[in-house]
Amino acid sequence: MKPGLSLGFFGRFGRSPALRAFDAALRSVDLHPSLVPEAVKLTAVSLLMEKTGQDDPTAESMRAAAEIIAYCMIGAEAFAGANGVPLAEEVERRIETAPDIGTNFDAKLVLLTLHAKVVQPSVVEHFGLESAAD
């Protein structure tokens, strides 16, 4: 049986290593983990584990997922200000091509922020995002 994701409990049991790594990845793109709902983090890490087939995804894959979530949550200007214009443009390209490819990993992360209602309105408008539930 593979280990699951753990949030911790009354400070006695710690967060799972995957969630701690994802928190670090969020910090690396200038988004404090406490601003991201736990449900979004749990789902993102679960999707990442499913995609990679690993219980302990690499730091690079965690960072790539954190980039999409941070961009969607803080918007283009704040993301570019914190991470530089070249990275912002790369993330924009990934978001633009996500729907064209279908239900790829980046598209799932964008939809996650959209359904969790944590996506910046400017991002929704710029990319014309919508979900079937809306």
Side-chain angles (χ1 to χ4, degrees):
M1 186 169 137
K2 70 180 185 177
L5 296 174
S6 170
L7 293 174
F9 185 69
F10 297 124
R12 301 200 91 211
F13 307 104
R15 292 172 67 81
S16 68
L19 281 174
R20 285 195 310 270
F22 194 64
D23 284 348
L26 290 168
R27 282 187 186 93
S28 76
V29 291
D30 204 39
L31 180 60
H32 197 281
S34 67
L35 298 175
V36 182
E38 289 297 324
V40 171
K41 291 189 276 190
L42 282 168
T43 304
V45 173
S46 292
L47 288 170
L48 189 55
M49 292 166 85
E50 179 183 301
K51 174 191 176 225
T52 62
Q54 301 173 348
D55 292 336
D56 190 21
T58 65
E60 294 81 23
S61 61
M62 291 279 194
R63 166 87 185 205
E67 290 168 355
I68 293 283
I69 289 176
Y71 184 96
C72 289
M73 286 187 67
I74 65 176
E77 280 188 38
F79 188 87
N83 299 288
V85 173
L87 181 59
E89 289 173 347
E90 172 63 22
V91 173
E92 286 174 359
R93 185 194 59 74
R94 289 171 53 199
I95 293 172
E96 287 170 353
T97 61
D100 298 336
I101 298 170
T103 56
N104 71 11
F105 182 66
D106 289 344
K108 289 178 182 180
L109 293 174
V110 171
L111 281 173
L112 172 61
T113 63
L114 190 62
H115 285 283
K117 299 186 183 336
V118 295
V119 67
Q120 277 289 319
S122 62
V123 174
V124 172
E125 184 180 320
H126 178 76
F127 294 103
L129 302 175
E130 59 184 43
S131 69
D134 289 342

